[in-house]
Amino acid sequence: MDVADLGLPVDVPSTALFTDHYELTMLQGALEGGTAGRRSVFEVFTRRLPEGRRYGVVAGTGRVLDAVENFRFDADVLGFLRERRVVDEPTLEWLSSYRFSGDVWGYPEGEAYFPGSPILRVEGTFAECVLLETVILSILNHDSAIAAAASRMASAAGERPLIEMGARRTHELAAVAASRAAYVGGFTTTSDLAAGFRYGIPTVGTSAHAFTLLHDSERDAFQAQVHSLGRGTTLLVDTYDVAEAVRTAVEIAGPELGAVRIDSGDLLLVAHRVRQQLDELGATDTKITVTSDLDEYAIASLAAAPVDAYGVGTQLVTGSGHPTCSMVYKLVARAESADPKAPLVPVAKKSMGGKTSIGGRKWAARRLDDEGVAEAEVIGTGAVPAGLADRQLLVELIKGGEVVAREPLDVVRDRHAAARANLPLSATQLSRGEAVIPTEYV
């Protein structure tokens, strides 16, 4: 049965319902109570990094900007809210003309972050800011988790390229976001055409085991692929017998064979054997790509192997054991009245169990040592110390409701590589440890 027959939406025309029910009921209460117009400051931060991680990676900022722009309550959305009696008519009327008109500051996408870092700061009226909580967190928590895993894998891979191959291991829309985040973290290509179409990420791919099994023999399959895609193609050599497949591949494509792919077995042992065989057959320039449930640890274990590229799927798109960053969106300051000139008052939740937060509109800077290496994440609410004035991290992303900081994805990717290079060398260690630099509050 087609989903249309069930009366379910096939398309999502806006991001307005990527939110939680209570955000709208809070809005209704604030509108009725006269506090909805109070100037407010919300901040996104995490109280701790995922266990064992030494730094986080800001990813998804570009998608957040798109989401804020597309946060619109059209007739269909308003009709749904009315039918379900989520909020009253005055609130629906207010929502019908919703447009975020405030300011957003944040760490530039690709930058590293640490516990307490004010990754994103959203300023405007309470009413317009509170509605954005869930959509912002859902994007940043997902994308930053994938980018952090990708960054660790890129560190382990060194100069060897990484292929993102996880589309079949996650939700179809999450797969596109994951591919984008992986590219930010250091991956070079993706197998997902939707990600290539939407974000311009280079796409790659040749054949799977099904293509070999389709043919009467492995030789027939290789001949068909080389005839269609050229001698520079990548042939999958572990459907049957690897040694025989390599021999056949070189016979058909010659020394110009682009690459072979190994997708099973003891990758370290098989890669060494395949490299030796390729060299003996004269295919000294033929590359070896390995896939098969790789993560950063498996990639690191293959550092001494004659491997030229890695393809990663499941572990990447699930954050390599940490599919979220536990970021939160908290009100940290608000005005005493709806008067635009009313001063901001710091506010913070008091809580047991490590869920406390620090009130006040914050700035952040990264202090460097004499060698230019990061030594501390410094966060404050007052004046920025003179020595840190040129090391501030937050940049303006939205001004008066207008996006002012869109940038090409390659710029973001390069920024992350530079940010990671400026961290202490121990940041690239895969062993468990604390944040590679401390967070200091002033």
Side-chain angles (χ1 to χ4, degrees):
M1 178 182 292
D2 190 272
V3 292
D5 296 332
L6 299 175
L8 300 176
V10 178
D11 299 316
V12 180
S14 80
T15 55
L17 291 184
F18 291 165
T19 189
D20 285 310
H21 188 119
Y22 81 155
E23 288 168 18
L24 296 188
T25 53
M26 281 193 289
L27 169 66
Q28 178 177 315
L31 288 171
E32 186 172 344
T35 54
R38 289 187 175 186
R39 189 160 56 101
S40 300
V41 180
F42 286 82
E43 289 178 352
V44 175
F45 62 93
T46 183
R47 296 182 177 94
R48 64 192 66 85
L49 296 177
E51 184 181 358
R53 295 292 168 87
R54 302 185 178 230
Y55 63 94
V57 180
V58 178
T61 308
R63 298 207 307 122
V64 166
L65 301 181
D66 292 340
V68 172
E69 275 194 333
N70 292 322
F71 205 89
R72 304 283 187 270
F73 292 83
D74 59 25
D76 289 339
V77 171
L78 292 170
F80 165 78
L81 297 175
R82 180 177 291 109
E83 178 185 351
R84 297 295 181 92
R85 298 182 179 179
V86 175
V87 289
D88 60 18
E89 284 298 325
T91 304
L92 291 173
E93 178 63 26
W94 188 91
L95 290 172
S96 67
S97 59
Y98 177 88
R99 299 290 185 274
F100 180 74
S101 63
D103 302 327
V104 176
W105 290 70
Y107 279 39
E109 189 168 14
E111 184 57 82
Y113 72 85
F114 298 91
S117 297
I119 296 164
L120 201 73
R121 190 174 72 218
V122 182
E123 304 183 32
T125 65
F126 177 84
E128 63 183 338
C129 295
V130 74
L131 297 181
L132 300 176
E133 175 182 3
T134 300
V135 69
I136 287 175
L137 287 179
S138 65
I139 293 172
L140 292 180
N141 268 312
H142 173 269
D143 289 22
S144 296
I146 306 305
S151 179
R152 285 163 59 87
M153 293 173 187
S155 292
E159 297 299 318
R160 297 172 179 177
L162 290 157
I163 308 163
E164 186 277 311
M165 303 172 65
R168 63 191 63 194
R169 296 291 187 258
T170 188
H171 185 280
E172 67 271 20
L173 299 181
V176 182
S179 181
R180 182 187 183 280
Y183 192 70
V184 170
F187 276 58
T188 54
T189 54
T190 180
S191 66
D192 190 349
L193 290 175
F197 175 77
R198 181 161 186 177
Y199 296 117
I201 302 169
T203 60
V204 294
T206 51
S207 67
H209 293 292
F211 186 77
T212 300
L213 296 170
L214 168 70
H215 293 80
D216 295 335
S217 69
E218 194 168 49
R219 177 177 292 274
D220 289 345
F222 287 176
Q223 285 177 331
Q225 184 173 327
V226 171
H227 179 74
S228 177
L229 301 178
R231 296 176 184 270
T233 191
T234 298
L235 294 175
L236 182 59
V237 295
D238 72 326
T239 305
Y240 305 117
D241 180 84
V242 173
E244 181 61 29
V246 171
R247 186 179 303 110
T248 302
V250 177
E251 286 179 5
I252 293 171
E256 297 85 9
L257 175 62
V260 296
R261 178 162 74 95
I262 307 166
D263 188 50
S264 60
D266 183 336
L267 297 179
L268 178 62
L269 176 62
V270 176
H272 277 287
R273 289 177 174 175
V274 169
R275 182 72 271 160
Q276 181 179 355
Q277 186 180 10
L278 287 170
D279 292 346
E280 290 173 350
L281 293 171
T284 56
D285 293 329
T286 299
K287 308 295 185 184
I288 297 176
T289 296
V290 295
T291 54
S292 184
D293 293 327
L294 298 177
D295 61 10
E296 59 265 48
Y297 302 102
I299 291 169
S301 73
L302 292 168
V307 172
D308 299 287
Y310 306 94
V312 190
T314 303
Q315 291 301 317
L316 174 67
V317 298
T318 57
S320 195
H322 297 289
T324 183
C325 301
S326 299
M327 294 178 186
V328 294
Y329 183 95
K330 296 298 181 183
L331 180 67
V332 296
R334 51 85 175 167
E336 294 180 332
S337 71
D339 184 345
K341 297 180 179 179
L344 290 173
V345 177
V347 295
K349 171 185 176 181
K350 290 184 178 180
S351 176
M352 303 294 288
K355 295 186 71 173
T356 57
S357 56
I358 298 174
R361 183 178 184 271
K362 299 174 193 67
W363 53 263
R366 191 160 298 152
R367 191 173 68 239
L368 308 181
D369 64 16
D370 293 338
E371 302 297 324
V373 178
E375 65 176 11
E377 192 88 339
V378 185
I379 299 171
T381 57
V384 181
L388 295 174
D390 61 348
R391 298 299 307 166
Q392 293 189 71
L393 291 163
L394 277 75
V395 298
E396 195 168 30
L397 302 171
I398 296 178
K399 182 177 183 179
E402 298 295 325
V403 174
V404 295
R406 278 203 174 87
E407 52 190 358
L409 200 55
D410 282 332
V411 172
V412 176
R413 187 170 183 270
D414 291 344
R415 177 182 294 120
H416 175 63
R420 188 175 62 204
N422 283 336
L423 296 177
L425 187 59
S426 56
T428 61
Q429 291 180 329
L430 298 181
S431 57
R432 293 184 180 276
E434 299 300 319
V436 72
I437 60 174
T439 300
E440 299 177 359
Y441 292 93
V442 297

